[in-house]
Coordinates of all heavy atoms in Angstrom, one line a residue:
M810 N -3.7 5.4 17.8 CA -3.3 4.5 16.7 C -3.2 5.3 15.4 O -4.1 6.1 15.1 CB -4.3 3.4 16.7 CG -4.1 2.5 15.5 SD -5.2 1.0 15.4 CE -4.9 0.3 17.0
P811 N -2.2 4.9 14.6 CA -2.1 5.6 13.3 C -3.3 5.3 12.4 O -4.0 4.3 12.6 CB -0.8 5.0 12.7 CG 0.0 4.5 13.8 CD -1.0 4.1 14.9
K812 N -3.5 6.1 11.5 CA -4.6 6.0 10.5 C -4.0 6.1 9.1 O -2.9 6.6 8.9 CB -5.7 7.0 10.7 CG -6.5 6.9 12.0 CD -7.7 7.8 12.0 CE -8.4 7.7 13.3 NZ -9.1 6.5 13.6
M813 N -4.7 5.5 8.2 CA -4.3 5.6 6.8 C -5.6 5.7 5.9 O -6.7 5.3 6.4 CB -3.4 4.5 6.3 CG -4.0 3.1 6.2 SD -2.9 1.9 5.5 CE -2.8 2.5 3.8
T814 N -5.4 6.2 4.7 CA -6.6 6.3 3.8 C -6.3 5.5 2.6 O -5.3 5.6 1.9 CB -6.9 7.7 3.4 OG1 -7.1 8.5 4.6 CG2 -8.0 7.9 2.5
F815 N -7.3 4.6 2.2 CA -7.3 3.9 0.9 C -8.3 4.7 0.0 O -9.4 5.0 0.4 CB -7.8 2.5 1.1 CG -6.9 1.6 1.8 CD1 -6.9 1.4 3.2 CD2 -5.9 0.8 1.1 CE1 -6.1 0.6 3.9 CE2 -5.1 0.0 1.8 CZ -5.1 -0.1 3.2
V816 N -7.8 4.9 -1.2 CA -8.7 5.5 -2.2 C -9.0 4.3 -3.2 O -8.1 3.8 -3.9 CB -8.0 6.7 -3.0 CG1 -9.0 7.2 -4.0 CG2 -7.5 7.7 -2.0
E817 N -10.3 3.9 -3.2 CA -10.7 2.8 -4.0 C -10.8 3.1 -5.4 O -10.8 4.3 -5.8 CB -12.0 2.2 -3.4 CG -11.8 1.7 -2.0 CD -13.0 1.1 -1.3 OE1 -14.0 0.8 -2.1 OE2 -13.0 1.0 -0.1
T818 N -11.0 2.1 -6.3 CA -11.0 2.4 -7.7 C -12.1 3.3 -8.2 O -12.0 3.9 -9.2 CB -11.1 1.0 -8.5 OG1 -12.2 0.3 -8.0 CG2 -9.8 0.2 -8.2
D819 N -13.2 3.4 -7.4 CA -14.3 4.3 -7.8 C -14.1 5.7 -7.2 O -15.0 6.6 -7.3 CB -15.6 3.7 -7.3 CG -15.8 3.6 -5.8 OD1 -14.9 4.0 -5.1 OD2 -16.9 3.2 -5.4
G820 N -13.0 5.9 -6.5 CA -12.7 7.2 -5.9 C -13.1 7.4 -4.5 O -12.8 8.4 -3.8
T821 N -13.8 6.4 -3.9 CA -14.2 6.4 -2.5 C -13.0 6.4 -1.6 O -12.1 5.6 -1.8 CB -15.1 5.2 -2.2 OG1 -16.2 5.2 -3.0 CG2 -15.5 5.2 -0.7
R822 N -12.9 7.3 -0.7 CA -11.8 7.4 0.3 C -12.3 6.7 1.6 O -13.3 7.0 2.1 CB -11.5 8.8 0.6 CG -10.9 9.5 -0.6 CD -10.7 11.0 -0.4 NE -9.6 11.2 0.5 CZ -8.3 11.3 0.2 NH1 -8.0 11.2 -1.1 NH2 -7.4 11.5 1.1
R823 N -11.5 5.8 2.1 CA -11.8 5.1 3.3 C -10.6 5.2 4.3 O -9.5 4.7 4.1 CB -12.0 3.6 3.1 CG -13.3 3.4 2.3 CD -13.7 1.9 2.2 NE -13.7 1.2 3.5 CZ -13.7 -0.1 3.6 NH1 -13.8 -0.9 2.5 NH2 -13.7 -0.7 4.8
E824 N -10.8 6.0 5.3 CA -9.8 6.2 6.4 C -10.1 5.1 7.4 O -11.2 4.9 7.9 CB -10.0 7.6 7.1 CG -8.9 7.8 8.1 CD -9.0 9.1 8.8 OE1 -9.9 9.3 9.7 OE2 -8.2 10.0 8.5
V825 N -9.0 4.4 7.7 CA -9.0 3.3 8.6 C -7.9 3.3 9.7 O -6.9 4.0 9.5 CB -9.0 1.9 7.9 CG1 -10.1 1.8 6.9 CG2 -7.6 1.8 7.1
E826 N -8.1 2.6 10.8 CA -7.0 2.5 11.7 C -6.0 1.5 11.2 O -6.3 0.5 10.5 CB -7.6 1.9 13.1 CG -8.4 2.9 13.8 CD -8.8 2.5 15.2 OE1 -8.6 1.3 15.5 OE2 -9.4 3.3 15.9
A827 N -4.7 1.9 11.4 CA -3.6 1.1 10.8 C -2.6 0.8 11.9 O -1.7 1.6 12.2 CB -2.9 1.9 9.7
P828 N -2.8 -0.3 12.6 CA -1.9 -0.6 13.7 C -0.4 -0.7 13.4 O 0.0 -1.1 12.3 CB -2.4 -2.0 14.2 CG -3.8 -2.1 13.7 CD -3.8 -1.3 12.4
L829 N 0.4 -0.2 14.3 CA 1.9 -0.1 14.1 C 2.4 -1.5 13.7 O 2.0 -2.5 14.4 CB 2.6 0.4 15.3 CG 2.3 1.9 15.6 CD1 2.9 2.2 17.0 CD2 2.9 2.7 14.5
G830 N 3.3 -1.6 12.8 CA 3.9 -2.9 12.4 C 3.2 -3.7 11.4 O 3.8 -4.6 10.8
L831 N 1.9 -3.5 11.2 CA 1.2 -4.2 10.1 C 1.6 -3.7 8.7 O 1.9 -2.5 8.6 CB -0.3 -4.1 10.3 CG -0.9 -4.8 11.5 CD1 -2.4 -4.8 11.4 CD2 -0.5 -6.3 11.6
S832 N 1.5 -4.5 7.7 CA 1.7 -4.1 6.4 C 0.4 -3.5 5.8 O -0.6 -3.7 6.4 CB 2.1 -5.3 5.5 OG 1.0 -6.1 5.3
I833 N 0.6 -2.7 4.8 CA -0.6 -2.1 4.1 C -1.6 -3.2 3.7 O -2.8 -3.1 3.9 CB -0.2 -1.2 2.9 CG1 0.5 0.0 3.4 CG2 -1.4 -0.9 2.1 CD1 1.1 0.9 2.3
L834 N -1.0 -4.3 3.2 CA -1.9 -5.5 2.9 C -2.7 -6.0 4.1 O -3.9 -6.2 4.0 CB -1.0 -6.6 2.3 CG -1.7 -7.9 1.9 CD1 -2.9 -7.6 0.9 CD2 -0.7 -8.9 1.4
E835 N -2.0 -6.1 5.2 CA -2.7 -6.6 6.4 C -3.8 -5.6 6.9 O -4.9 -6.0 7.3 CB -1.7 -6.9 7.5 CG -0.8 -8.1 7.2 CD 0.5 -8.1 8.1 OE1 1.0 -7.1 8.5 OE2 0.9 -9.3 8.5
V836 N -3.5 -4.3 6.8 CA -4.4 -3.3 7.2 C -5.7 -3.4 6.2 O -6.8 -3.4 6.7 CB -3.8 -1.9 7.1 CG1 -4.9 -0.8 7.3 CG2 -2.7 -1.8 8.2
A837 N -5.4 -3.6 4.9 CA -6.5 -3.7 4.0 C -7.4 -4.9 4.3 O -8.6 -4.7 4.3 CB -6.0 -3.8 2.6
R838 N -6.8 -6.0 4.6 CA -7.6 -7.2 4.9 C -8.4 -7.0 6.2 O -9.6 -7.4 6.2 CB -6.7 -8.4 5.0 CG -6.2 -8.8 3.7 CD -5.4 -10.1 3.8 NE -5.1 -10.5 2.4 CZ -4.2 -11.4 2.2 NH1 -3.5 -12.0 3.1 NH2 -4.0 -11.8 0.9
R839 N -7.9 -6.3 7.2 CA -8.6 -6.1 8.4 C -9.9 -5.3 8.2 O -10.8 -5.3 9.0 CB -7.8 -5.4 9.4 CG -6.8 -6.2 10.2 CD -6.2 -5.5 11.3 NE -5.4 -6.4 12.0 CZ -5.0 -6.3 13.3 NH1 -5.4 -5.2 14.0 NH2 -4.3 -7.2 13.9
H840 N -9.8 -4.5 7.1 CA -10.9 -3.5 6.9 C -11.7 -3.9 5.6 O -12.4 -3.0 5.1 CB -10.4 -2.1 6.8 CG -9.8 -1.6 8.2 ND1 -10.6 -1.3 9.2 CD2 -8.5 -1.5 8.6 CE1 -9.8 -1.0 10.3 NE2 -8.6 -1.1 9.9
N841 N -11.5 -5.1 5.1 CA -12.3 -5.6 3.9 C -12.1 -4.6 2.7 O -13.0 -4.4 2.0 CB -13.7 -5.8 4.2 CG -14.0 -6.8 5.3 OD1 -13.4 -7.9 5.2 ND2 -14.8 -6.5 6.3
I842 N -10.8 -4.1 2.5 CA -10.5 -3.4 1.4 C -10.1 -4.4 0.3 O -9.4 -5.3 0.6 CB -9.3 -2.4 1.7 CG1 -9.6 -1.5 2.9 CG2 -8.9 -1.6 0.4 CD1 -10.4 -0.3 2.7
D843 N -10.5 -4.1 -0.9 CA -10.2 -5.0 -2.0 C -8.8 -4.9 -2.6 O -8.5 -4.3 -3.6 CB -11.2 -4.8 -3.2 CG -11.2 -5.8 -4.3 OD1 -10.7 -6.9 -4.0 OD2 -11.6 -5.5 -5.4
L844 N -7.9 -5.5 -1.8 CA -6.5 -5.6 -2.2 C -6.1 -7.1 -2.1 O -6.0 -7.6 -1.0 CB -5.6 -4.7 -1.2 CG -4.2 -4.5 -1.6 CD1 -4.0 -3.9 -2.9 CD2 -3.5 -3.7 -0.5
E845 N -5.8 -7.7 -3.2 CA -5.8 -9.2 -3.2 C -4.7 -9.8 -2.4 O -4.9 -10.6 -1.5 CB -5.7 -9.6 -4.7 CG -5.7 -11.2 -4.8 CD -5.7 -11.6 -6.2 OE1 -5.9 -10.8 -7.2 OE2 -5.5 -12.8 -6.4
G846 N -3.4 -9.6 -2.8 CA -2.3 -10.2 -2.0 C -2.3 -11.7 -2.2 O -2.2 -12.5 -1.2
A847 N -2.4 -12.2 -3.4 CA -2.5 -13.7 -3.7 C -1.4 -14.5 -3.1 O -1.6 -15.6 -2.7 CB -2.6 -13.9 -5.2
C848 N -0.2 -13.9 -3.0 CA 1.0 -14.7 -2.5 C 1.2 -14.6 -1.0 O 2.2 -15.1 -0.5 CB 2.2 -14.4 -3.3 SG 3.0 -12.8 -2.8
E849 N 0.3 -13.9 -0.3 CA 0.3 -13.7 1.1 C 1.6 -13.0 1.6 O 2.1 -13.2 2.7 CB 0.3 -15.1 1.8 CG -1.0 -15.9 1.5 CD -2.2 -15.3 2.0 OE1 -2.2 -14.6 3.1 OE2 -3.3 -15.4 1.3
G850 N 2.1 -12.1 0.7 CA 3.2 -11.3 1.1 C 4.6 -11.9 0.9 O 5.6 -11.5 1.5
S851 N 4.7 -12.9 0.1 CA 5.9 -13.6 -0.1 C 6.7 -13.1 -1.3 O 7.7 -13.7 -1.7 CB 5.7 -15.1 -0.2 OG 5.0 -15.4 -1.4
L852 N 6.3 -12.0 -1.9 CA 7.0 -11.4 -3.0 C 7.0 -12.3 -4.2 O 8.0 -12.3 -5.0 CB 8.4 -10.9 -2.7 CG 8.6 -9.6 -2.0 CD1 10.0 -9.3 -1.5 CD2 8.1 -8.5 -2.9
A853 N 5.9 -13.0 -4.4 CA 5.8 -13.9 -5.6 C 4.8 -13.4 -6.6 O 4.4 -14.1 -7.5 CB 5.5 -15.3 -5.1
C854 N 4.2 -12.2 -6.3 CA 3.2 -11.7 -7.2 C 3.2 -10.1 -7.1 O 3.9 -9.6 -6.3 CB 1.8 -12.2 -6.9 SG 1.0 -11.7 -5.4
S855 N 2.3 -9.5 -7.8 CA 2.1 -8.0 -7.6 C 0.7 -7.6 -7.3 O 0.3 -6.5 -7.6 CB 2.7 -7.3 -8.9 OG 1.9 -7.7 -10.0
T856 N -0.1 -8.6 -6.8 CA -1.5 -8.3 -6.6 C -1.8 -7.4 -5.4 O -3.0 -7.1 -5.2 CB -2.3 -9.6 -6.5 OG1 -1.8 -10.4 -5.4 CG2 -2.2 -10.4 -7.8
C857 N -0.8 -7.0 -4.7 CA -1.1 -6.0 -3.6 C -0.5 -4.7 -3.9 O -0.3 -3.8 -3.1 CB -0.5 -6.5 -2.2 SG 1.3 -6.7 -2.2
H858 N -0.4 -4.5 -5.2 CA 0.2 -3.2 -5.8 C -0.7 -2.0 -5.3 O -2.0 -2.1 -5.5 CB 0.2 -3.3 -7.3 CG 0.4 -2.0 -8.0 ND1 -0.3 -1.6 -9.1 CD2 1.3 -1.0 -7.8 CE1 0.1 -0.4 -9.5 NE2 1.1 0.0 -8.7
V859 N -0.1 -1.0 -4.8 CA -0.8 0.3 -4.5 C 0.0 1.4 -5.0 O 1.2 1.3 -5.3 CB -1.0 0.5 -2.9 CG1 -1.9 -0.6 -2.3 CG2 0.3 0.5 -2.2
V860 N -0.7 2.5 -5.2 CA 0.0 3.8 -5.7 C 0.0 4.7 -4.5 O -1.1 5.1 -4.0 CB -0.8 4.4 -6.9 CG1 -0.1 5.7 -7.3 CG2 -0.8 3.4 -8.0
V861 N 1.1 5.0 -4.0 CA 1.3 5.9 -2.8 C 1.2 7.3 -3.2 O 1.7 7.7 -4.3 CB 2.7 5.6 -2.2 CG1 2.9 6.5 -1.0 CG2 2.9 4.2 -1.8
A862 N 0.4 8.1 -2.5 CA 0.2 9.5 -2.8 C 1.6 10.2 -2.8 O 2.5 9.9 -1.9 CB -0.7 10.2 -1.7
P863 N 1.9 11.0 -3.8 CA 3.3 11.5 -4.0 C 3.8 12.2 -2.7 O 5.0 12.0 -2.4 CB 3.1 12.5 -5.1 CG 1.9 12.1 -5.8 CD 1.0 11.4 -4.8
E864 N 3.0 12.9 -1.9 CA 3.5 13.5 -0.7 C 4.0 12.6 0.4 O 4.7 13.0 1.3 CB 2.5 14.5 -0.2 CG 1.2 13.9 0.3 CD 0.2 13.7 -0.8 OE1 0.5 13.8 -2.0 OE2 -1.0 13.6 -0.4
W865 N 3.7 11.3 0.2 CA 4.1 10.3 1.2 C 5.2 9.4 0.7 O 5.9 8.8 1.5 CB 2.9 9.4 1.6 CG 1.9 10.1 2.4 CD1 0.7 10.7 2.0 CD2 1.9 10.3 3.8 NE1 0.1 11.3 3.0 CE2 0.8 11.0 4.2 CE3 2.8 9.9 4.8 CZ2 0.5 11.4 5.5 CZ3 2.6 10.2 6.1 CH2 1.5 11.0 6.4
Y866 N 5.4 9.4 -0.6 CA 6.4 8.4 -1.2 C 7.8 8.5 -0.6 O 8.4 7.5 -0.3 CB 6.4 8.6 -2.7 CG 7.2 7.5 -3.4 CD1 6.6 6.2 -3.6 CD2 8.4 7.7 -3.9 CE1 7.3 5.2 -4.2 CE2 9.2 6.7 -4.5 CZ 8.6 5.5 -4.6 OH 9.3 4.5 -5.2
D867 N 8.3 9.7 -0.4 CA 9.7 9.9 0.0 C 9.9 9.5 1.5 O 11.0 9.3 1.9 CB 10.2 11.3 -0.2 CG 10.4 11.6 -1.7 OD1 10.6 10.6 -2.5 OD2 10.3 12.8 -2.1
L868 N 8.8 9.3 2.2 CA 8.9 8.9 3.6 C 9.0 7.4 3.8 O 9.3 6.9 4.8 CB 7.6 9.3 4.4 CG 7.5 10.8 4.6 CD1 6.2 11.2 5.2 CD2 8.6 11.4 5.4
L869 N 8.8 6.6 2.7 CA 8.9 5.2 2.7 C 10.3 4.7 2.6 O 11.1 5.3 1.9 CB 8.1 4.6 1.5 CG 6.6 4.9 1.5 CD1 6.0 4.3 0.2 CD2 5.9 4.4 2.7
P870 N 10.6 3.6 3.2 CA 11.9 3.0 2.9 C 12.0 2.6 1.5 O 11.0 2.3 0.8 CB 12.0 1.7 3.8 CG 10.6 1.6 4.5 CD 9.8 2.8 4.1
D871 N 13.2 2.6 0.9 CA 13.4 2.2 -0.5 C 12.9 0.8 -0.7 O 13.1 -0.1 0.1 CB 14.9 2.4 -0.9 CG 15.3 3.8 -0.9 OD1 14.5 4.7 -1.0 OD2 16.6 4.0 -0.8
A872 N 12.4 0.6 -2.0 CA 12.0 -0.7 -2.4 C 13.2 -1.6 -2.6 O 14.2 -1.1 -3.2 CB 11.2 -0.7 -3.6
Q873 N 13.2 -2.8 -2.2 CA 14.3 -3.7 -2.4 C 14.2 -4.3 -3.9 O 13.1 -4.2 -4.5 CB 14.3 -4.9 -1.4 CG 14.4 -4.4 0.0 CD 15.8 -3.7 0.3 OE1 16.8 -4.3 0.0 NE2 15.7 -2.5 0.8
E874 N 15.2 -4.9 -4.3 CA 15.3 -5.4 -5.7 C 14.2 -6.4 -6.0 O 13.5 -6.3 -7.1 CB 16.6 -6.0 -6.0 CG 16.8 -6.5 -7.4 CD 18.2 -7.0 -7.7 OE1 19.1 -6.8 -7.0 OE2 18.3 -7.7 -8.8
D875 N 13.9 -7.3 -5.1 CA 12.8 -8.3 -5.3 C 11.4 -7.6 -5.5 O 10.6 -8.0 -6.3 CB 12.7 -9.2 -4.1 CG 13.9 -10.2 -4.0 OD1 14.6 -10.3 -5.0 OD2 14.0 -10.9 -2.9
E876 N 11.2 -6.5 -4.7 CA 9.9 -5.8 -4.8 C 9.9 -5.1 -6.2 O 8.9 -5.1 -6.9 CB 9.8 -4.8 -3.7 CG 8.5 -4.0 -3.8 CD 8.3 -2.9 -2.7 OE1 9.1 -2.8 -1.8 OE2 7.3 -2.2 -2.8
E877 N 11.0 -4.5 -6.6 CA 11.0 -3.8 -7.9 C 10.8 -4.8 -9.0 O 10.1 -4.4 -10.0 CB 12.4 -3.1 -8.0 CG 12.5 -1.9 -7.1 CD 13.9 -1.2 -7.2 OE1 14.7 -1.7 -8.0 OE2 14.0 -0.2 -6.6
D878 N 11.3 -6.0 -8.9 CA 11.1 -7.0 -9.9 C 9.6 -7.3 -10.1 O 9.1 -7.5 -11.2 CB 11.9 -8.3 -9.7 CG 13.4 -8.1 -9.9 OD1 13.8 -7.1 -10.5 OD2 14.2 -8.9 -9.4
M879 N 8.9 -7.5 -8.9 CA 7.5 -7.8 -8.9 C 6.7 -6.6 -9.4 O 5.7 -6.8 -10.1 CB 7.0 -8.3 -7.6 CG 7.4 -9.7 -7.2 SD 6.7 -10.9 -8.2 CE 8.1 -11.5 -9.2
L880 N 7.1 -5.4 -9.1 CA 6.4 -4.2 -9.5 C 6.4 -4.1 -11.0 O 5.4 -3.6 -11.6 CB 7.0 -3.0 -8.9 CG 6.5 -2.7 -7.5 CD1 7.3 -1.5 -6.9 CD2 5.0 -2.3 -7.5
D881 N 7.4 -4.6 -11.7 CA 7.5 -4.6 -13.1 C 6.3 -5.3 -13.8 O 5.9 -5.1 -14.9 CB 8.8 -5.2 -13.7 CG 10.0 -4.3 -13.4 OD1 9.8 -3.1 -13.2 OD2 11.1 -4.8 -13.4
L882 N 5.7 -6.2 -13.0 CA 4.5 -7.0 -13.5 C 3.2 -6.4 -13.2 O 2.1 -6.9 -13.5 CB 4.6 -8.4 -13.0 CG 5.9 -9.2 -13.2 CD1 5.9 -10.5 -12.5 CD2 6.2 -9.4 -14.7
A883 N 3.2 -5.3 -12.4 CA 2.0 -4.8 -11.9 C 1.2 -4.0 -12.9 O 1.7 -3.3 -13.8 CB 2.3 -3.8 -10.7
F884 N -0.2 -4.1 -12.8 CA -1.1 -3.3 -13.6 C -1.1 -1.8 -13.1 O -1.2 -1.6 -11.9 CB -2.5 -3.9 -13.5 CG -3.6 -3.0 -14.0 CD1 -3.8 -2.9 -15.4 CD2 -4.4 -2.2 -13.1 CE1 -4.8 -2.1 -15.9 CE2 -5.4 -1.4 -13.6 CZ -5.6 -1.4 -15.0
G885 N -1.1 -0.9 -14.1 CA -1.2 0.5 -13.7 C 0.0 1.1 -13.0 O -0.2 2.0 -12.2
L886 N 1.2 0.6 -13.3 CA 2.4 1.0 -12.6 C 2.6 2.5 -12.7 O 2.4 3.1 -13.8 CB 3.6 0.3 -13.2 CG 4.9 0.3 -12.4 CD1 4.8 -0.3 -11.1 CD2 6.0 -0.4 -13.2
T887 N 3.0 3.2 -11.6 CA 3.3 4.6 -11.6 C 4.7 4.8 -10.9 O 5.3 3.9 -10.4 CB 2.3 5.4 -10.9 OG1 2.4 5.2 -9.5 CG2 0.9 5.1 -11.3
K888 N 5.1 6.1 -10.9 CA 6.4 6.4 -10.2 C 6.3 6.2 -8.7 O 7.3 6.0 -8.1 CB 6.8 7.9 -10.5 CG 7.2 8.1 -11.9 CD 7.6 9.5 -12.1 CE 8.0 9.8 -13.6 NZ 8.5 11.1 -13.8
T889 N 5.1 6.2 -8.2 CA 5.0 6.0 -6.7 C 4.3 4.7 -6.4 O 3.8 4.5 -5.3 CB 4.2 7.2 -6.1 OG1 2.9 7.2 -6.6 CG2 4.9 8.5 -6.3
S890 N 4.4 3.7 -7.3 CA 3.9 2.4 -7.0 C 4.8 1.6 -6.0 O 6.0 1.7 -6.1 CB 3.8 1.6 -8.3 OG 2.8 2.1 -9.2
R891 N 4.1 0.8 -5.2 CA 4.8 -0.1 -4.2 C 3.9 -1.3 -4.0 O 2.7 -1.3 -4.4 CB 5.0 0.6 -2.9 CG 6.0 1.8 -2.9 CD 7.4 1.4 -3.2 NE 7.9 0.4 -2.2 CZ 8.6 0.7 -1.1 NH1 8.9 2.0 -0.9 NH2 9.1 -0.2 -0.3
L892 N 4.4 -2.3 -3.4 CA 3.7 -3.5 -3.0 C 3.2 -3.3 -1.6 O 4.0 -3.0 -0.7 CB 4.5 -4.8 -3.2 CG 4.9 -5.1 -4.6 CD1 5.7 -6.4 -4.6 CD2 3.7 -5.2 -5.5
G893 N 1.9 -3.4 -1.3 CA 1.4 -3.2 0.0 C 1.9 -4.1 1.0 O 2.0 -3.8 2.2
C894 N 2.4 -5.3 0.6 CA 3.0 -6.3 1.6 C 4.3 -5.8 2.1 O 4.8 -6.4 3.1 CB 3.0 -7.7 1.0 SG 4.2 -7.8 -0.4
Q895 N 5.0 -4.9 1.4 CA 6.3 -4.5 1.8 C 6.4 -3.2 2.6 O 7.5 -2.8 3.0 CB 7.2 -4.4 0.5 CG 7.3 -5.7 -0.2 CD 7.9 -6.8 0.6 OE1 9.1 -6.6 1.1 NE2 7.2 -7.9 0.9
I896 N 5.3 -2.6 2.8 CA 5.3 -1.3 3.6 C 4.7 -1.6 4.9 O 3.5 -2.0 5.0 CB 4.6 -0.2 2.8 CG1 5.2 0.1 1.5 CG2 4.5 1.1 3.7 CD1 4.4 1.0 0.6
R897 N 5.4 -1.4 6.0 CA 4.9 -1.5 7.4 C 4.6 -0.2 8.0 O 5.3 0.8 7.8 CB 6.0 -2.2 8.2 CG 6.4 -3.6 7.7 CD 5.9 -4.6 8.7 NE 6.0 -6.0 8.0 CZ 5.0 -6.8 8.0 NH1 3.9 -6.6 8.7 NH2 5.2 -8.0 7.4
I898 N 3.4 -0.2 8.7 CA 3.0 1.1 9.3 C 3.9 1.5 10.4 O 4.2 0.6 11.3 CB 1.5 0.9 9.8 CG1 0.6 0.5 8.6 CG2 1.0 2.2 10.5 CD1 0.5 1.5 7.5
S899 N 4.3 2.7 10.4 CA 5.1 3.3 11.5 C 4.4 4.6 12.0 O 3.5 5.1 11.3 CB 6.5 3.6 11.0 OG 6.5 4.6 10.0
E900 N 4.9 5.2 13.1 CA 4.3 6.5 13.5 C 4.5 7.5 12.4 O 3.6 8.4 12.2 CB 5.1 6.9 14.8 CG 4.7 6.1 16.0 CD 3.3 6.3 16.6 OE1 2.6 7.3 16.1 OE2 2.9 5.6 17.4
E901 N 5.6 7.5 11.7 CA 5.9 8.4 10.6 C 4.9 8.4 9.5 O 4.7 9.3 8.8 CB 7.3 8.2 10.1 CG 7.8 9.2 9.1 CD 9.2 9.0 8.6 OE1 9.6 7.8 8.2 OE2 10.0 9.9 8.7
L902 N 4.3 7.2 9.3 CA 3.3 7.0 8.3 C 1.8 7.3 8.7 O 0.9 7.0 7.9 CB 3.4 5.6 7.6 CG 4.8 5.3 7.0 CD1 4.8 3.9 6.4 CD2 5.1 6.4 5.9
D903 N 1.6 7.8 9.9 CA 0.3 8.1 10.3 C -0.3 9.1 9.4 O 0.2 10.2 9.1 CB 0.3 8.7 11.7 CG -1.0 9.0 12.3 OD1 -2.0 8.5 11.8 OD2 -1.1 9.7 13.4
G904 N -1.4 8.8 8.7 CA -2.1 9.6 7.7 C -1.8 9.2 6.3 O -2.3 9.8 5.3
L905 N -1.0 8.2 6.1 CA -0.6 7.7 4.8 C -1.9 7.5 3.9 O -2.9 7.1 4.3 CB 0.1 6.3 4.9 CG 0.5 5.6 3.6 CD1 1.6 6.4 2.9 CD2 0.9 4.2 3.9
V906 N -1.7 7.9 2.6 CA -2.8 7.8 1.6 C -2.2 6.9 0.5 O -1.1 7.2 -0.1 CB -3.2 9.1 1.1 CG1 -4.3 9.0 0.0 CG2 -3.7 10.0 2.2
V907 N -3.0 5.9 0.1 CA -2.6 5.0 -1.0 C -3.9 4.8 -1.9 O -5.0 4.8 -1.4 CB -2.1 3.6 -0.6 CG1 -0.8 3.8 0.2 CG2 -3.1 2.8 0.1
M908 N -3.6 4.7 -3.2 CA -4.7 4.5 -4.1 C -4.6 3.1 -4.6 O -3.5 2.6 -4.9 CB -4.6 5.4 -5.3 CG -5.1 6.9 -5.1 SD -3.9 8.1 -4.4 CE -2.4 7.9 -5.2
L909 N -5.7 2.4 -4.8 CA -5.7 1.1 -5.5 C -5.6 1.3 -7.0 O -6.1 2.3 -7.5 CB -7.0 0.4 -5.1 CG -7.3 0.2 -3.6 CD1 -8.6 -0.6 -3.4 CD2 -6.1 -0.5 -3.0
P910 N -4.9 0.5 -7.7 CA -4.7 0.7 -9.1 C -6.0 0.9 -9.8 O -7.0 0.3 -9.6 CB -4.0 -0.6 -9.6 CG -3.3 -1.1 -8.4 CD -4.2 -0.7 -7.2
G911 N -6.0 1.9 -10.7 CA -7.2 2.3 -11.4 C -8.0 3.4 -10.7 O -9.0 3.8 -11.2
A912 N -7.6 3.7 -9.5 CA -8.3 4.7 -8.7 C -8.2 6.1 -9.4 O -7.3 6.4 -10.0 CB -7.8 4.8 -7.3
K913 N -9.3 6.9 -9.2 CA -9.3 8.2 -9.8 C -8.7 9.2 -8.8 O -8.7 9.1 -7.7 CB -10.8 8.6 -10.0 CG -11.4 7.6 -11.0 CD -12.9 7.9 -11.2 CE -13.4 6.9 -12.2 NZ -14.8 6.9 -12.3

């Protein structure tokens, strides 16, 4: 099973199992990672904003216009920011690293 690493706001790294087909938001919830996702993945908020490690960013599918619009409202926006509800785990993303906004 693929794995991914969340870097929490205090710098703690948590490597977790990331089942194929789940979104980053769903993976976070399975492992009690503090990633809100207030709109349940309906692209009506930016509370599942994550910062993708630069070495992984180019492996992701491009963000759609709706996601980009919501990202404009996100706290701590960076060049590699994405919404966790919009990225699905694939074999290619085994080892993915994402930081929660404000992470060191």
Side-chain angles (χ1 to χ4, degrees):
M810 174 176 300
K812 294 189 181 290
M813 67 172 294
T814 300
F815 289 91
V816 181
E817 298 182 15
T818 56
D819 66 358
T821 301
R822 296 175 69 87
R823 289 190 51 197
E824 183 179 75
V825 299
E826 290 188 348
L829 292 172
L831 290 187
S832 70
I833 290 174
L834 176 60
E835 292 166 324
V836 172
R838 286 185 172 165
R839 281 190 174 203
H840 297 285
N841 297 313
I842 307 276
D843 188 21
L844 188 59
E845 185 176 347
C848 75
E849 302 295 324
S851 65
L852 276 174
C854 73
S855 61
T856 60
C857 66
H858 166 227
V859 295
V860 178
V861 178
E864 62 271 19
W865 288 97
Y866 188 77
D867 289 336
L868 295 174
L869 302 176
D871 291 338
Q873 300 297 308
E874 186 175 342
D875 290 347
E876 180 181 359
E877 289 177 358
D878 289 345
M879 284 295 109
L880 278 170
D881 287 340
L882 307 173
F884 167 79
L886 192 65
T887 73
K888 290 182 181 183
T889 63
S890 288
R891 293 293 301 268
L892 295 181
C894 68
Q895 297 301 300
I896 300 170
R897 299 248 168 227
I898 301 301
S899 64
E900 290 287 351
E901 186 176 51
L902 296 180
D903 186 13
L905 177 67
V906 177
V907 299
M908 282 86 44
L909 302 181
K913 297 175 183 171

